[in-house]
Amino acid sequence: VTGVQTCALPIWNDSCAKYGRLYTWMEAIDTGSGFGDVTVKVTLPRQGICPVGWHVPSDTEWGTLVAFVGADDARIKLSSTTGWDTTLCSLVGWKCSGTDDYGFRVLPAGNTDATDVLDTTVFIGAGTNGVFLSATQTGGFYMWYRAFSSTALTSVSRGAVYKSWRWSMRCLKN
């Protein structure tokens, strides 16, 4: 997927080179409307900015992946074996780096929030969190995400977050 604005600032070059670009929901879905426009209705599957023959995964499709690999340790099985900040994990005995059993190679790119354009010099949580957007919205301002975090948890968490924040994304083959 070609990039949007995330890597436009020189302060983000290092993170972009390591982790790739981050996208708002509106950029990923490619609707051309504002993020809080409650009239934005997308039909799933949604190609968005994915190449032809691919689409932005829905929350249900993320759930299917997590269930397939085993929900209790999906974070470990889907995460890259490198790229994770293991400093805290080593101290407390957590398993941060993954085993990448399926070649999915989740990297901890972190995210940006709406204020990052003005005052942040790095991706928030880079090295410790990989959070992926889904095509599924929940209300006008939120969408569902899946998070891979270097904590005591070995599962993948799910939650709702602002569409205006920037997250990692994966395209799913049709």
Side-chain angles (χ1 to χ4, degrees), residues 60-163:
T60 301
E61 289 168 324
W62 272 108
T64 300
L65 172 65
V66 168
F68 173 79
V69 302
D72 290 343
D73 55 355
R75 179 184 68 79
I76 301 299
K77 290 180 178 179
L78 296 171
S79 291
S80 172
T81 59
T82 61
W84 295 84
D85 180 352
T86 59
T87 307
L88 177 62
C89 298
S90 298
L91 292 173
V92 295
W94 295 341
K95 178 146 179 67
C96 286
S97 296
T99 56
D100 197 23
D101 295 356
Y102 298 92
F104 200 68
R105 294 182 188 90
V106 168
L107 289 172
N111 68 287
T112 65
D113 67 26
T115 64
D116 283 353
V117 173
L118 302 175
D119 59 32
T120 302
T121 59
V122 296
F123 288 15
I124 299 168
T128 60
N129 297 301
V131 185
F132 292 83
L133 59 80
S134 80
T136 309
Q137 50 187 330
T138 175
F141 296 99
Y142 303 96
M143 56 108 192
W144 291 108
Y145 70 84
R146 297 294 168 139
F148 297 73
S149 300
S150 58
T151 65
L153 297 176
T154 57
S155 59
V156 175
S157 60
R158 172 185 182 255
V161 72
Y162 291 114
K163 293 179 189 175

Side-chain angles (χ1 to χ4, degrees), residues 5-9 11-23 108-113 116 120-129 166-168:
Q5 312 143 347
T6 312
C7 296
L9 298 177
I11 58 174
W12 288 340
N13 286 343
D14 184 54
S15 290
C16 286
K18 287 180 191 173
Y19 308 117
R21 298 183 185 282
L22 302 178
Y23 301 88
N111 68 287
T112 65
D113 67 26
D116 283 353
T120 302
T121 59
V122 296
F123 288 15
I124 299 168
T128 60
N129 297 301
R166 293 179 186 277
W167 308 96
S168 296

Side-chain angles (χ1 to χ4, degrees), residues 1 4 23-33 40-50 55-59 133-137 142-144 163 169-171:
V1 176
V4 185
Y23 301 88
T24 66
W25 184 85
M26 295 308 292
E27 291 166 344
I29 299 303
D30 195 23
T31 66
S33 298
V40 173
K41 304 289 186 225
V42 296
T43 305
L44 301 178
R46 178 74 177 198
Q47 179 181 343
I49 60 171
C50 294
H55 65 275
V56 180
S58 68
D59 180 57
L133 59 80
S134 80
T136 309
Q137 50 187 330
Y142 303 96
M143 56 108 192
W144 291 108
K163 293 179 189 175
M169 73 170 270
R170 290 285 177 96
C171 295

